[in-house]
Amino acid sequence: MFRRSGMRFALGSWTLIVPLASLGQPAAPRAPVVTTPRFAIFSDFETNLNDALIEAGRARRKEKPELFHSGDESDCFDKLAPSARAAWDGAVDYYARTVSPVEWNAGPQFLIRMQLVGFAAARGTARDAVFLEIAQSTRAAAATAYKACRWAAQDEKNRHWIADVARSLDAHEARLAPRIEQLYQKRWKTLPILVDVVETVNWSGANSSWSDTGQGDLLIANAPVGSAGLETLFHEASHVLMDRGDPVRQALESAARAAEVRLPSDLWHVVLFYTTGEAVRRALDERGPFGYTPMLYQLFARGSWAEYRQALESQWRPFIDGKRSLDEAAGHLVRALPKEPSR
């Protein structure tokens, strides 16, 4: 089974077993742009093509401007051979009907992603294998237009993001990564964590998946850059350390049971934002750039999760400061939240 951003999902009802390798082979060999002790960061053609088709399919369904039919690339697209234009439009139609309507963690998008990264997502059905074969053929047909009119600019943007975050990792990874493992009281089991940089990653801008072996796969949009890019990278990597049953989530759940309250379903994610954001902020304050504000405070400013701010700062921060144990901090945090009866 694979985990996705800390949640467990089934990929449907498995009936006819297909060999794992048939669902897990990448379309082409992948080579990272940058490798560090904990991360292998890619600007991969196939993964970016898939991201572009998902977004074009979503735009077509909503009758909104879409790639190659608006924007700077439209002139290039109009000059392509009719067969190349038809192949792209046919691929977008297929994605609009089959892949784009679902969320990233649903079967169609998730199976494609696992194939592209070279992971076997699960033992799938014969239908899953057929779907992946068709999707791969569809992308192959669309590749001519994408390579001619988009890929060079996209790859340049991706590599700019990668170079920027690589500089941050060079300055901070050696101290920051062990600190994050210390806070979550768990280590990344399988390294390097794979990171694919693309244009959009649908509405989220980033998400994470990982296997039972701990092999993480992060998908991140090529914005934001700078310190926010470093936090985004470690935020997604922190999901691998905060699955159900992992120490921090277990401490929160145990504290809720002891207090006889229902744990808010989003609290674990807010705690993850706060914990990793604080770790990144403090690392930057030690060596610069200074004065960084973690992403969670942008959400607070917009009104999202603002009800948790006081409890986090007064009750969870002492754990990050080393003044409370994990269990103590979890108990204090849960008791400081608005109470709901347990069910």
Side-chain angles (χ1 to χ4, degrees), residues 4 9-15 105-108 110-111 122-125 128:
R4 316 173 203 184
F9 297 84
L11 290 181
S13 176
W14 307 109
T15 53
N105 48 25
F110 190 70
L111 284 167
R123 289 190 175 188
T125 64
D128 294 323

Side-chain angles (χ1 to χ4, degrees), residues 42-340:
F42 298 81
S43 177
D44 177 63
F45 176 82
E46 285 283 339
T47 302
N48 279 266
L49 172 58
N50 182 61
D51 182 73
L53 285 168
I54 290 171
E55 291 309 307
R58 183 175 289 110
R60 186 166 295 185
R61 285 179 62 85
K62 296 180 178 180
E63 298 182 346
K64 293 185 175 181
E66 65 180 75
L67 181 64
F68 297 153
H69 292 282
S70 63
D72 295 339
E73 297 90 354
S74 59
D75 287 344
C76 173
F77 184 76
D78 290 342
K79 295 174 184 177
L80 294 177
S83 57
R85 298 199 304 270
W88 172 264
D89 283 331
V92 174
D93 281 339
Y94 175 79
Y95 266 67
R97 295 184 182 188
T98 308
V99 182
S100 301
V102 303
E103 290 294 332
W104 70 272
N105 48 25
Q109 287 195 34
F110 190 70
L111 284 167
I112 291 173
R113 176 176 175 178
M114 293 298 98
Q115 181 192 47
L116 289 173
V117 80
F119 288 171
R123 289 190 175 188
T125 64
R127 180 176 294 181
D128 294 323
V130 171
F131 163 73
L132 286 173
E133 184 177 356
I134 293 172
Q136 186 169 332
S137 298
T138 300
R139 290 193 306 277
T144 297
Y146 187 74
K147 184 176 292 185
C149 297
R150 179 60 188 171
W151 173 237
Q154 182 63 49
D155 187 42
E156 182 179 3
K157 290 177 66 176
N158 293 346
R159 288 172 183 268
H160 176 77
W161 188 95
I162 293 168
D164 186 75
V165 82
R167 286 189 290 269
S168 294
L169 288 170
D170 185 58
H172 300 292
E173 180 182 4
R175 291 171 59 87
L176 180 55
R179 177 57 177 154
I180 286 177
E181 290 181 325
Q182 180 185 40
L183 288 169
Y184 289 100
Q185 299 188 6
K186 181 181 177 181
R187 300 184 67 181
W188 290 292
K189 293 188 293 186
T190 305
L191 296 174
I193 299 167
L194 308 181
V195 184
D196 275 288
V197 183
V198 297
E199 177 70 15
T200 308
V201 196
N202 56 52
W203 62 268
S204 64
N207 55 51
S208 52
S209 303
W210 60 97
S211 71
D212 286 334
T213 67
Q215 178 69 70
D217 171 54
L218 316 182
L219 194 63
I220 299 179
N222 55 29
V225 295
S227 299
L230 181 68
E231 184 186 352
T232 299
L233 179 65
F234 274 101
H235 175 94
E236 292 304 324
S238 295
H239 276 281
V240 184
L241 306 177
M242 205 171 177
D243 196 9
R244 291 177 180 176
D246 284 341
V248 174
R249 290 187 70 170
Q250 191 172 53
L252 294 171
E253 290 163 5
S254 296
R257 288 193 297 270
E260 297 183 337
V261 298
R262 184 175 63 181
L263 197 66
S265 61
D266 56 358
L267 180 64
W268 70 270
H269 202 189
V270 185
V271 168
L272 188 153
F273 261 102
Y274 188 82
T275 303
T276 299
E278 268 297 294
V280 171
R281 182 187 69 78
R282 295 178 188 203
L284 293 170
D285 278 350
E286 288 178 4
R287 302 187 62 179
F290 306 101
Y292 176 65
T293 300
M295 294 186 294
L296 182 58
Y297 285 87
Q298 300 173 30
L299 299 176
F300 287 158
R302 296 201 298 263
S304 300
W305 292 335
E307 67 273 20
Y308 296 129
R309 179 172 179 172
Q310 183 177 0
L312 286 165
E313 292 178 336
S314 63
Q315 307 303 332
W316 189 255
R317 183 167 184 155
F319 165 65
I320 299 175
D321 292 338
K323 297 177 180 179
R324 282 180 183 161
S325 71
L326 174 58
D327 290 338
E328 289 171 340
H332 282 278
L333 176 63
V334 167
R335 288 192 294 272
L337 297 174
K339 301 297 187 296
E340 287 189 53

Side-chain angles (χ1 to χ4, degrees), residues 10-27:
L11 290 181
S13 176
W14 307 109
T15 53
L16 179 62
I17 302 301
V18 175
L20 293 178
S22 67
L23 295 180
Q25 292 299 316

